[in-house]
Amino acid sequence: MRHAVPMLAAPILALLLSGSAAPAMAQSTDAADVRCLMVLQVIGNDPKQAEQAAKGVYFYLGRLTARGPVSRVEGLIKAEAAKLPPQQAQAELQRCSAELNGRTQDLRNVNTRLAASARPASAPVKK
């Protein structure tokens, strides 16, 4: 599974660099998530960023598969790759990173509230 990200990224990178992309249109949730999946797979080719990119890939793949079967992801990637100009990839990466950071902060906030509401074990009473 570890090698799946680089293997999937090559065809996506080729599609992004093909120059056949049309101007970006309004994005549906699936389209936005697929774009994140695509740019994170490309970023995952950098060994220094591969681990963090893989975490993002799994996050967005999870969101996509929560809304439908994984088998539809290939078609979604092909459709979005045709619309995503290579020069927009950096903006997509920034958007996706901001979303991932936001969800990470949300979870930290939940954990902070849970820790604050947990009652400490009472010390044994000395007789």
Side-chain angles (χ1 to χ4, degrees):
M1 184 67 92
R2 208 172 139 202
H3 301 289
V5 171
M7 289 189 307
L8 292 172
I12 293 169
L13 183 60
L15 284 169
L16 287 174
L17 299 177
S18 70
S20 64
M25 299 163 75
Q27 298 180 16
S28 70
T29 303
D30 278 352
D33 287 352
V34 165
R35 285 174 175 237
C36 291
L37 186 71
M38 291 166 52
V39 296
L40 288 166
Q41 287 183 91
V42 172
I43 294 301
N45 285 323
D46 178 351
K48 293 178 183 177
Q49 299 183 52
E51 186 176 337
Q52 290 299 328
K55 291 174 184 177
V57 165
Y58 297 129
F59 173 82
Y60 286 105
L61 184 60
R63 284 174 49 135
L64 286 161
T65 58
R67 294 189 297 267
V70 73
S71 59
R72 71 195 184 95
V73 173
E74 181 178 354
L76 291 169
I77 289 173
K78 286 179 181 178
E80 284 309 305
K83 299 178 206 171
L84 180 61
Q87 62 272 21
Q88 191 175 341
Q90 185 62 38
E92 290 294 333
L93 180 61
Q94 290 174 347
R95 178 185 61 79
C96 302
S97 295
E99 184 173 22
L100 286 167
N101 290 336
R103 296 302 71 76
T104 299
Q105 188 58 52
D106 290 345
L107 183 57
R108 285 184 185 136
N109 293 342
V110 166
N111 289 333
T112 299
R113 289 190 302 272
L114 288 170
S117 68
R119 296 179 189 244
S122 58
V125 179
K126 292 185 181 181
K127 292 184 184 183

